Amino acid sequence: MAGASDNGGWSSDGGSPDDLPDLPEEWGVIVIPDDLSELSDEVDAIRAELRLSGPPNRWQRLLRRPAVRRLRRFAATTLRAPVLIISLAVLVTVASLFASAWPGPPRQPAAQRTASTTPERASTLPALELVASDGQMVPLRGRLPAVILLVDGCACTALISDTIDAVGPEIAVITVSAATASASAAGTPPTGATPQANGKTVRMLNDPAGSLRTHLRLEAPDTTAAAVLVDHGTNIVRVIPRTLSVDDFKSDLARL
């Protein structure tokens, strides 16, 4: 048996130097033999335990080969990306379902159009045929550009005269009333279908059914006239629902 000096300072009775911790008590007394053959019993016991596990079979040996190990690692790495993508897709789908089912802020009710809202008027002159003073049907679009004055119930002699003076020779002045009597009362001269006034075209047309006023969504006639400015392309440039002076639309005549 080795002495204390042969064990690097350890005593033969299992003691330890002062500068090293003691061994656990459950280990008991540890004796290191000088001849390693004395440990043959312990070696045989360990080998017996290893034999109990049995030799690896064919599949175990196949799986332990380096090529198979590399293939398994490659397959595991390849499958990670699809699994991650599928997991993210599932999470996004679940989040979308929660978001759609979650009650949001209350929506403000859409503003409803009331009776006081101004109705939207037509943007082009309708293709109507009105009655001339001689009883012939005349297309309303037959002479453009034009200033159309709806003069029912209006003493508009000055307005008509001032409009004729304000327009150029290329712009027609058309007066429209519900009946010939109304036109005469309004001050329009009872002449032919296309009377001339200082080289300018003036037409008097009757609209007994009030089709033009209805199409333009104008209110019922009163003591004022309604003026409609139409360009060459039948586009309505401006509508003045109530007027008694050419100054209300004089600046718009240049747009015709």
Side-chain angles (χ1 to χ4, degrees):
M1 302 295 290
S5 60
D6 296 333
N7 274 325
W10 289 91
S11 62
S12 60
D13 59 353
S16 61
D18 294 338
D19 57 341
L20 293 175
D22 295 333
L23 297 174
E25 294 181 358
E26 59 270 15
W27 287 12
V29 179
I30 299 175
V31 179
I32 301 176
D34 296 332
D35 187 4
L36 295 179
S37 61
E38 295 179 12
L39 300 175
S40 59
D41 294 337
E42 285 81 2
V43 173
D44 293 336
I46 293 174
R47 288 176 177 174
E49 290 177 3
L50 294 175
R51 283 195 296 270
L52 290 176
S53 61
N57 55 28
R58 180 188 303 175
W59 290 108
Q60 291 175 340
R61 290 194 298 271
L62 177 62
L63 294 176
R64 291 176 183 176
R65 291 182 178 178
V68 177
R69 290 180 180 177
R70 288 194 296 270
L71 181 61
R72 290 169 60 187
R73 287 196 296 269
F74 176 75
T77 304
T78 306
L79 290 175
R80 287 176 186 171
V83 171
L84 180 60
I85 293 174
I86 293 174
S87 302
L88 291 176
V90 171
L91 290 176
V92 171
T93 303
V94 173
S96 301
L97 291 175
F98 275 107
S100 61
W102 196 267
R107 295 183 178 180
Q108 297 295 333
Q112 297 182 354
R113 182 175 296 179
T114 61
S116 60
T117 303
T118 303
E120 183 179 357
R121 295 189 175 92
S123 60
T124 58
L125 186 68
L128 298 176
E129 287 190 349
L130 304 183
V131 183
S133 57
D134 57 0
Q136 300 295 320
M137 300 302 294
V138 177
L140 185 60
R141 293 180 174 181
R143 180 66 173 85
L144 297 177
V147 176
I148 302 175
L149 299 175
L150 288 81
V151 295
D152 288 321
C154 170
C156 298
T157 304
L159 173 63
I160 297 171
S161 176
D162 293 342
T163 302
I164 294 173
D165 293 338
V167 300
E170 72 282 0
I171 301 176
V173 177
I174 302 175
T175 63
V176 178
S177 62
T180 304
S182 300
S184 299
T188 38
T191 56
T194 56
Q196 301 296 317
N198 299 326
K200 301 174 184 179
T201 302
V202 179
R203 283 184 174 177
M204 299 177 300
L205 301 179
N206 298 326
D207 184 12
S211 302
L212 180 59
R213 185 178 291 272
T214 301
H215 186 87
L216 297 178
R217 299 180 182 271
L218 296 173
E219 297 180 1
D222 55 8
T223 57
T224 62
V228 183
L229 280 64
V230 186
D231 63 10
H232 281 286
T234 72
N235 297 309
I236 297 177
V237 175
R238 189 181 175 193
V239 176
I240 300 93
R242 302 184 187 279
T243 181
L244 284 175
S245 173
V246 70
D247 294 334
D248 294 337
F249 54 87
K250 191 172 184 178
S251 60
D252 296 303
L253 296 177
R255 301 165 58 190
L256 300 182

